Amino acid sequence: MDLIAHLTTHFDDSAETLKASGRELAEPLTASVELLFATLANNGKILACGNGGSAADAQHFIAELVGRFERDRLPLAGIALNTDTSILTAVGNDYGFDVVFERQVAALGQTGDILVAISTSGNSANVLRAIHVAHERDMVVIALTGKGGGEIGQALSSNDIHLCVPSDRTMRIQETHIVLLHAMCDGIDALLLGDTL
């Protein structure tokens, strides 16, 4: 096997997935940025959740909001629901892992907030339950999925935004999710800092 040739195919495949995503998701991505900005400007907050690599993406996204992205600005309100080990283990132990995000959305989410729900398969049970509670609280959901969107894609309302990466490969979906999240951060900053667009 030619290992160099094998490994370099990842770059071409990733680039093709990103280009296809850029074509298909430009409009919902723009709508996401406008919604996130409006929510933050109206003193709402962003809740984000996911499992595994998606948990890392949720945490990364919220870190960029609360800290900064590429430019200095005021901190923005966000909470990653997968970072508090005491809550995760207490709720998981007492109620089951499927409700670890649901309980937090019920406790912290309010009308006017946004849930950023990340699942490469679109079938994460605990993310799906968080979406249902967000809807009960009149929160809008921005869902990042792949593989056709799965159960999460079916659970979204007409007010929600679905960013479904056109790929069935988990690594390609995850790579594209981080680009989408970085684009959201950049778009929020552009609107917040008054860039001429």
PDB file of all heavy atoms in Angstrom, residues 42-73:
ATOM      1  N   ASN A  42     -30.195  40.695  22.281  1.00  0.00           N
ATOM      2  CA  ASN A  42     -31.392  40.840  23.119  1.00  0.00           C
ATOM      3  C   ASN A  42     -31.237  40.157  24.474  1.00  0.00           C
ATOM      4  O   ASN A  42     -32.223  39.782  25.108  1.00  0.00           O
ATOM      5  CB  ASN A  42     -32.610  40.286  22.379  1.00  0.00           C
ATOM      6  CG  ASN A  42     -33.049  41.210  21.259  1.00  0.00           C
ATOM      7  OD1 ASN A  42     -33.376  42.361  21.493  1.00  0.00           O
ATOM      8  ND2 ASN A  42     -33.035  40.705  20.036  1.00  0.00           N
ATOM      9  N   ASN A  43     -29.989  40.004  24.906  1.00  0.00           N
ATOM     10  CA  ASN A  43     -29.659  39.429  26.218  1.00  0.00           C
ATOM     11  C   ASN A  43     -30.054  37.961  26.364  1.00  0.00           C
ATOM     12  O   ASN A  43     -30.241  37.478  27.482  1.00  0.00           O
ATOM     13  CB  ASN A  43     -30.279  40.259  27.354  1.00  0.00           C
ATOM     14  CG  ASN A  43     -29.693  41.657  27.424  1.00  0.00           C
ATOM     15  OD1 ASN A  43     -28.478  41.816  27.344  1.00  0.00           O
ATOM     16  ND2 ASN A  43     -30.545  42.650  27.549  1.00  0.00           N
ATOM     17  N   GLY A  44     -30.181  37.257  25.239  1.00  0.00           N
ATOM     18  CA  GLY A  44     -30.374  35.819  25.294  1.00  0.00           C
ATOM     19  C   GLY A  44     -29.028  35.125  25.388  1.00  0.00           C
ATOM     20  O   GLY A  44     -27.968  35.758  25.314  1.00  0.00           O
ATOM     21  N   LYS A  45     -29.072  33.825  25.572  1.00  0.00           N
ATOM     22  CA  LYS A  45     -27.832  33.058  25.674  1.00  0.00           C
ATOM     23  C   LYS A  45     -27.880  31.846  24.760  1.00  0.00           C
ATOM     24  O   LYS A  45     -28.950  31.421  24.320  1.00  0.00           O
ATOM     25  CB  LYS A  45     -27.560  32.640  27.117  1.00  0.00           C
ATOM     26  CG  LYS A  45     -28.606  31.749  27.742  1.00  0.00           C
ATOM     27  CD  LYS A  45     -28.302  31.496  29.219  1.00  0.00           C
ATOM     28  CE  LYS A  45     -29.406  30.706  29.897  1.00  0.00           C
ATOM     29  NZ  LYS A  45     -30.687  31.454  29.955  1.00  0.00           N
ATOM     30  N   ILE A  46     -26.706  31.298  24.521  1.00  0.00           N
ATOM     31  CA  ILE A  46     -26.556  30.150  23.648  1.00  0.00           C
ATOM     32  C   ILE A  46     -26.205  28.944  24.500  1.00  0.00           C
ATOM     33  O   ILE A  46     -25.218  28.958  25.235  1.00  0.00           O
ATOM     34  CB  ILE A  46     -25.433  30.379  22.604  1.00  0.00           C
ATOM     35  CG1 ILE A  46     -25.562  31.744  21.921  1.00  0.00           C
ATOM     36  CG2 ILE A  46     -25.408  29.232  21.602  1.00  0.00           C
ATOM     37  CD1 ILE A  46     -26.864  31.996  21.244  1.00  0.00           C
ATOM     38  N   LEU A  47     -27.014  27.899  24.416  1.00  0.00           N
ATOM     39  CA  LEU A  47     -26.699  26.618  25.037  1.00  0.00           C
ATOM     40  C   LEU A  47     -26.257  25.675  23.927  1.00  0.00           C
ATOM     41  O   LEU A  47     -26.854  25.668  22.850  1.00  0.00           O
ATOM     42  CB  LEU A  47     -27.918  26.038  25.750  1.00  0.00           C
ATOM     43  CG  LEU A  47     -28.621  26.922  26.784  1.00  0.00           C
ATOM     44  CD1 LEU A  47     -29.807  26.191  27.393  1.00  0.00           C
ATOM     45  CD2 LEU A  47     -27.654  27.364  27.864  1.00  0.00           C
ATOM     46  N   ALA A  48     -25.221  24.888  24.174  1.00  0.00           N
ATOM     47  CA  ALA A  48     -24.725  23.969  23.150  1.00  0.00           C
ATOM     48  C   ALA A  48     -24.459  22.603  23.763  1.00  0.00           C
ATOM     49  O   ALA A  48     -24.043  22.514  24.927  1.00  0.00           O
ATOM     50  CB  ALA A  48     -23.455  24.511  22.505  1.00  0.00           C
ATOM     51  N   CYS A  49     -24.690  21.556  22.981  1.00  0.00           N
ATOM     52  CA  CYS A  49     -24.435  20.213  23.502  1.00  0.00           C
ATOM     53  C   CYS A  49     -24.120  19.242  22.381  1.00  0.00           C
ATOM     54  O   CYS A  49     -24.461  19.462  21.215  1.00  0.00           O
ATOM     55  CB  CYS A  49     -25.625  19.709  24.309  1.00  0.00           C
ATOM     56  SG  CYS A  49     -27.157  19.488  23.362  1.00  0.00           S
ATOM     57  N   GLY A  50     -23.460  18.161  22.762  1.00  0.00           N
ATOM     58  CA  GLY A  50     -23.130  17.081  21.855  1.00  0.00           C
ATOM     59  C   GLY A  50     -22.376  16.011  22.608  1.00  0.00           C
ATOM     60  O   GLY A  50     -22.043  16.184  23.787  1.00  0.00           O
ATOM     61  N   ASN A  51     -22.089  14.911  21.955  1.00  0.00           N
ATOM     62  CA  ASN A  51     -21.372  13.780  22.557  1.00  0.00           C
ATOM     63  C   ASN A  51     -20.071  13.529  21.816  1.00  0.00           C
ATOM     64  O   ASN A  51     -19.994  13.713  20.605  1.00  0.00           O
ATOM     65  CB  ASN A  51     -22.237  12.511  22.473  1.00  0.00           C
ATOM     66  CG  ASN A  51     -23.538  12.634  23.231  1.00  0.00           C
ATOM     67  OD1 ASN A  51     -23.556  12.600  24.451  1.00  0.00           O
ATOM     68  ND2 ASN A  51     -24.636  12.787  22.510  1.00  0.00           N
ATOM     69  N   GLY A  52     -19.053  13.103  22.536  1.00  0.00           N
ATOM     70  CA  GLY A  52     -17.782  12.752  21.905  1.00  0.00           C
ATOM     71  C   GLY A  52     -17.161  13.930  21.181  1.00  0.00           C
ATOM     72  O   GLY A  52     -16.955  15.002  21.758  1.00  0.00           O
ATOM     73  N   GLY A  53     -16.866  13.749  19.888  1.00  0.00           N
ATOM     74  CA  GLY A  53     -16.301  14.851  19.105  1.00  0.00           C
ATOM     75  C   GLY A  53     -17.234  16.034  19.044  1.00  0.00           C
ATOM     76  O   GLY A  53     -16.794  17.192  19.016  1.00  0.00           O
ATOM     77  N   SER A  54     -18.531  15.775  19.044  1.00  0.00           N
ATOM     78  CA  SER A  54     -19.511  16.867  19.026  1.00  0.00           C
ATOM     79  C   SER A  54     -19.524  17.617  20.355  1.00  0.00           C
ATOM     80  O   SER A  54     -19.804  18.812  20.392  1.00  0.00           O
ATOM     81  CB  SER A  54     -20.904  16.322  18.714  1.00  0.00           C
ATOM     82  OG  SER A  54     -20.936  15.729  17.435  1.00  0.00           O
ATOM     83  N   ALA A  55     -19.219  16.918  21.454  1.00  0.00           N
ATOM     84  CA  ALA A  55     -19.073  17.585  22.741  1.00  0.00           C
ATOM     85  C   ALA A  55     -17.886  18.552  22.696  1.00  0.00           C
ATOM     86  O   ALA A  55     -17.962  19.687  23.177  1.00  0.00           O
ATOM     87  CB  ALA A  55     -18.879  16.563  23.862  1.00  0.00           C
ATOM     88  N   ALA A  56     -16.802  18.098  22.085  1.00  0.00           N
ATOM     89  CA  ALA A  56     -15.625  18.957  21.940  1.00  0.00           C
ATOM     90  C   ALA A  56     -15.954  20.176  21.084  1.00  0.00           C
ATOM     91  O   ALA A  56     -15.517  21.297  21.376  1.00  0.00           O
ATOM     92  CB  ALA A  56     -14.465  18.166  21.330  1.00  0.00           C
ATOM     93  N   ASP A  57     -16.751  19.976  20.031  1.00  0.00           N
ATOM     94  CA  ASP A  57     -17.149  21.095  19.180  1.00  0.00           C
ATOM     95  C   ASP A  57     -18.033  22.077  19.934  1.00  0.00           C
ATOM     96  O   ASP A  57     -17.889  23.297  19.793  1.00  0.00           O
ATOM     97  CB  ASP A  57     -17.890  20.586  17.939  1.00  0.00           C
ATOM     98  CG  ASP A  57     -16.968  19.924  16.932  1.00  0.00           C
ATOM     99  OD1 ASP A  57     -15.736  20.095  17.042  1.00  0.00           O
ATOM    100  OD2 ASP A  57     -17.476  19.226  16.039  1.00  0.00           O
ATOM    101  N   ALA A  58     -18.966  21.569  20.737  1.00  0.00           N
ATOM    102  CA  ALA A  58     -19.839  22.439  21.523  1.00  0.00           C
ATOM    103  C   ALA A  58     -19.016  23.275  22.501  1.00  0.00           C
ATOM    104  O   ALA A  58     -19.219  24.487  22.641  1.00  0.00           O
ATOM    105  CB  ALA A  58     -20.880  21.608  22.274  1.00  0.00           C
ATOM    106  N   GLN A  59     -18.093  22.624  23.168  1.00  0.00           N
ATOM    107  CA  GLN A  59     -17.237  23.314  24.134  1.00  0.00           C
ATOM    108  C   GLN A  59     -16.357  24.349  23.429  1.00  0.00           C
ATOM    109  O   GLN A  59     -16.187  25.475  23.923  1.00  0.00           O
ATOM    110  CB  GLN A  59     -16.380  22.282  24.856  1.00  0.00           C
ATOM    111  CG  GLN A  59     -15.527  22.851  25.970  1.00  0.00           C
ATOM    112  CD  GLN A  59     -14.839  21.751  26.770  1.00  0.00           C
ATOM    113  OE1 GLN A  59     -15.212  20.571  26.671  1.00  0.00           O
ATOM    114  NE2 GLN A  59     -13.845  22.115  27.551  1.00  0.00           N
ATOM    115  N   HIS A  60     -15.816  23.979  22.289  1.00  0.00           N
ATOM    116  CA  HIS A  60     -14.975  24.887  21.502  1.00  0.00           C
ATOM    117  C   HIS A  60     -15.775  26.133  21.087  1.00  0.00           C
ATOM    118  O   HIS A  60     -15.304  27.269  21.233  1.00  0.00           O
ATOM    119  CB  HIS A  60     -14.463  24.120  20.284  1.00  0.00           C
ATOM    120  CG  HIS A  60     -13.530  24.875  19.399  1.00  0.00           C
ATOM    121  ND1 HIS A  60     -12.667  24.253  18.538  1.00  0.00           N
ATOM    122  CD2 HIS A  60     -13.322  26.195  19.195  1.00  0.00           C
ATOM    123  CE1 HIS A  60     -11.973  25.139  17.869  1.00  0.00           C
ATOM    124  NE2 HIS A  60     -12.360  26.343  18.231  1.00  0.00           N
ATOM    125  N   PHE A  61     -16.972  25.927  20.575  1.00  0.00           N
ATOM    126  CA  PHE A  61     -17.817  27.023  20.125  1.00  0.00           C
ATOM    127  C   PHE A  61     -18.118  27.993  21.267  1.00  0.00           C
ATOM    128  O   PHE A  61     -17.977  29.213  21.121  1.00  0.00           O
ATOM    129  CB  PHE A  61     -19.109  26.457  19.547  1.00  0.00           C
ATOM    130  CG  PHE A  61     -20.105  27.480  19.076  1.00  0.00           C
ATOM    131  CD1 PHE A  61     -19.750  28.445  18.144  1.00  0.00           C
ATOM    132  CD2 PHE A  61     -21.407  27.467  19.547  1.00  0.00           C
ATOM    133  CE1 PHE A  61     -20.673  29.385  17.696  1.00  0.00           C
ATOM    134  CE2 PHE A  61     -22.336  28.390  19.110  1.00  0.00           C
ATOM    135  CZ  PHE A  61     -21.968  29.362  18.187  1.00  0.00           C
ATOM    136  N   ILE A  62     -18.506  27.463  22.407  1.00  0.00           N
ATOM    137  CA  ILE A  62     -18.840  28.325  23.545  1.00  0.00           C
ATOM    138  C   ILE A  62     -17.595  29.053  24.058  1.00  0.00           C
ATOM    139  O   ILE A  62     -17.663  30.222  24.452  1.00  0.00           O
ATOM    140  CB  ILE A  62     -19.508  27.505  24.665  1.00  0.00           C
ATOM    141  CG1 ILE A  62     -20.843  26.930  24.168  1.00  0.00           C
ATOM    142  CG2 ILE A  62     -19.709  28.360  25.916  1.00  0.00           C
ATOM    143  CD1 ILE A  62     -21.864  27.964  23.703  1.00  0.00           C
ATOM    144  N   ALA A  63     -16.453  28.392  24.014  1.00  0.00           N
ATOM    145  CA  ALA A  63     -15.210  29.057  24.420  1.00  0.00           C
ATOM    146  C   ALA A  63     -14.911  30.262  23.539  1.00  0.00           C
ATOM    147  O   ALA A  63     -14.449  31.308  24.030  1.00  0.00           O
ATOM    148  CB  ALA A  63     -14.050  28.063  24.372  1.00  0.00           C
ATOM    149  N   GLU A  64     -15.190  30.131  22.243  1.00  0.00           N
ATOM    150  CA  GLU A  64     -14.964  31.255  21.328  1.00  0.00           C
ATOM    151  C   GLU A  64     -15.916  32.411  21.633  1.00  0.00           C
ATOM    152  O   GLU A  64     -15.566  33.587  21.453  1.00  0.00           O
ATOM    153  CB  GLU A  64     -15.161  30.813  19.873  1.00  0.00           C
ATOM    154  CG  GLU A  64     -14.328  29.635  19.418  1.00  0.00           C
ATOM    155  CD  GLU A  64     -12.882  29.966  19.122  1.00  0.00           C
ATOM    156  OE1 GLU A  64     -12.369  30.974  19.652  1.00  0.00           O
ATOM    157  OE2 GLU A  64     -12.258  29.198  18.362  1.00  0.00           O
ATOM    158  N   LEU A  65     -17.140  32.107  22.086  1.00  0.00           N
ATOM    159  CA  LEU A  65     -18.098  33.160  22.405  1.00  0.00           C
ATOM    160  C   LEU A  65     -17.739  33.865  23.712  1.00  0.00           C
ATOM    161  O   LEU A  65     -17.704  35.094  23.783  1.00  0.00           O
ATOM    162  CB  LEU A  65     -19.516  32.579  22.512  1.00  0.00           C
ATOM    163  CG  LEU A  65     -20.124  31.970  21.247  1.00  0.00           C
ATOM    164  CD1 LEU A  65     -21.521  31.440  21.546  1.00  0.00           C
ATOM    165  CD2 LEU A  65     -20.175  32.989  20.115  1.00  0.00           C
ATOM    166  N   VAL A  66     -17.494  33.084  24.745  1.00  0.00           N
ATOM    167  CA  VAL A  66     -17.228  33.662  26.061  1.00  0.00           C
ATOM    168  C   VAL A  66     -15.852  34.321  26.103  1.00  0.00           C
ATOM    169  O   VAL A  66     -15.665  35.382  26.713  1.00  0.00           O
ATOM    170  CB  VAL A  66     -17.350  32.583  27.159  1.00  0.00           C
ATOM    171  CG1 VAL A  66     -16.956  33.142  28.529  1.00  0.00           C
ATOM    172  CG2 VAL A  66     -18.788  32.047  27.216  1.00  0.00           C
ATOM    173  N   GLY A  67     -14.888  33.700  25.456  1.00  0.00           N
ATOM    174  CA  GLY A  67     -13.550  34.281  25.379  1.00  0.00           C
ATOM    175  C   GLY A  67     -13.498  35.299  24.244  1.00  0.00           C
ATOM    176  O   GLY A  67     -13.983  36.413  24.366  1.00  0.00           O
ATOM    177  N   ARG A  68     -12.948  34.873  23.135  1.00  0.00           N
ATOM    178  CA  ARG A  68     -12.968  35.690  21.923  1.00  0.00           C
ATOM    179  C   ARG A  68     -12.670  34.776  20.755  1.00  0.00           C
ATOM    180  O   ARG A  68     -12.157  33.672  20.928  1.00  0.00           O
ATOM    181  CB  ARG A  68     -11.957  36.823  21.979  1.00  0.00           C
ATOM    182  CG  ARG A  68     -10.504  36.387  21.905  1.00  0.00           C
ATOM    183  CD  ARG A  68      -9.563  37.583  21.974  1.00  0.00           C
ATOM    184  NE  ARG A  68      -8.167  37.178  21.828  1.00  0.00           N
ATOM    185  CZ  ARG A  68      -7.496  37.199  20.690  1.00  0.00           C
ATOM    186  NH1 ARG A  68      -8.088  37.591  19.567  1.00  0.00           N
ATOM    187  NH2 ARG A  68      -6.239  36.827  20.629  1.00  0.00           N
ATOM    188  N   PHE A  69     -12.991  35.267  19.564  1.00  0.00           N
ATOM    189  CA  PHE A  69     -12.663  34.504  18.363  1.00  0.00           C
ATOM    190  C   PHE A  69     -11.343  35.037  17.835  1.00  0.00           C
ATOM    191  O   PHE A  69     -10.296  34.724  18.372  1.00  0.00           O
ATOM    192  CB  PHE A  69     -13.808  34.581  17.351  1.00  0.00           C
ATOM    193  CG  PHE A  69     -13.604  33.722  16.133  1.00  0.00           C
ATOM    194  CD1 PHE A  69     -13.293  32.369  16.264  1.00  0.00           C
ATOM    195  CD2 PHE A  69     -13.707  34.242  14.859  1.00  0.00           C
ATOM    196  CE1 PHE A  69     -13.079  31.567  15.149  1.00  0.00           C
ATOM    197  CE2 PHE A  69     -13.508  33.454  13.734  1.00  0.00           C
ATOM    198  CZ  PHE A  69     -13.198  32.116  13.882  1.00  0.00           C
ATOM    199  N   GLU A  70     -11.350  35.903  16.834  1.00  0.00           N
ATOM    200  CA  GLU A  70     -10.084  36.440  16.314  1.00  0.00           C
ATOM    201  C   GLU A  70      -9.810  37.863  16.783  1.00  0.00           C
ATOM    202  O   GLU A  70      -8.690  38.354  16.645  1.00  0.00           O
ATOM    203  CB  GLU A  70     -10.086  36.397  14.777  1.00  0.00           C
ATOM    204  CG  GLU A  70     -10.031  34.984  14.226  1.00  0.00           C
ATOM    205  CD  GLU A  70      -9.799  34.948  12.735  1.00  0.00           C
ATOM    206  OE1 GLU A  70     -10.424  35.742  12.006  1.00  0.00           O
ATOM    207  OE2 GLU A  70      -8.993  34.104  12.298  1.00  0.00           O
ATOM    208  N   ARG A  71     -10.841  38.524  17.306  1.00  0.00           N
ATOM    209  CA  ARG A  71     -10.673  39.916  17.731  1.00  0.00           C
ATOM    210  C   ARG A  71     -11.218  40.114  19.134  1.00  0.00           C
ATOM    211  O   ARG A  71     -12.137  39.420  19.556  1.00  0.00           O
ATOM    212  CB  ARG A  71     -11.410  40.848  16.758  1.00  0.00           C
ATOM    213  CG  ARG A  71     -10.827  40.826  15.353  1.00  0.00           C
ATOM    214  CD  ARG A  71     -11.580  41.745  14.429  1.00  0.00           C
ATOM    215  NE  ARG A  71     -12.835  41.138  13.978  1.00  0.00           N
ATOM    216  CZ  ARG A  71     -13.734  41.775  13.221  1.00  0.00           C
ATOM    217  NH1 ARG A  71     -13.533  43.025  12.865  1.00  0.00           N
ATOM    218  NH2 ARG A  71     -14.838  41.156  12.834  1.00  0.00           N
ATOM    219  N   ASP A  72     -10.653  41.077  19.837  1.00  0.00           N
ATOM    220  CA  ASP A  72     -11.141  41.388  21.172  1.00  0.00           C
ATOM    221  C   ASP A  72     -12.532  42.007  21.098  1.00  0.00           C
ATOM    222  O   ASP A  72     -12.820  42.824  20.221  1.00  0.00           O
ATOM    223  CB  ASP A  72     -10.191  42.354  21.889  1.00  0.00           C
ATOM    224  CG  ASP A  72      -8.898  41.678  22.315  1.00  0.00           C
ATOM    225  OD1 ASP A  72      -8.942  40.467  22.602  1.00  0.00           O
ATOM    226  OD2 ASP A  72      -7.871  42.366  22.357  1.00  0.00           O
ATOM    227  N   ARG A  73     -13.373  41.602  22.016  1.00  0.00           N
ATOM    228  CA  ARG A  73     -14.730  42.142  22.144  1.00  0.00           C
ATOM    229  C   ARG A  73     -15.257  41.720  23.500  1.00  0.00           C
ATOM    230  O   ARG A  73     -14.607  40.966  24.230  1.00  0.00           O
ATOM    231  CB  ARG A  73     -15.631  41.624  21.024  1.00  0.00           C
ATOM    232  CG  ARG A  73     -15.604  40.113  20.918  1.00  0.00           C
ATOM    233  CD  ARG A  73     -16.907  39.510  20.499  1.00  0.00           C
ATOM    234  NE  ARG A  73     -16.786  38.122  20.120  1.00  0.00           N
ATOM    235  CZ  ARG A  73     -16.682  37.118  20.995  1.00  0.00           C
ATOM    236  NH1 ARG A  73     -16.646  37.355  22.288  1.00  0.00           N
ATOM    237  NH2 ARG A  73     -16.590  35.876  20.559  1.00  0.00           N
TER     238      ARG A  73
END
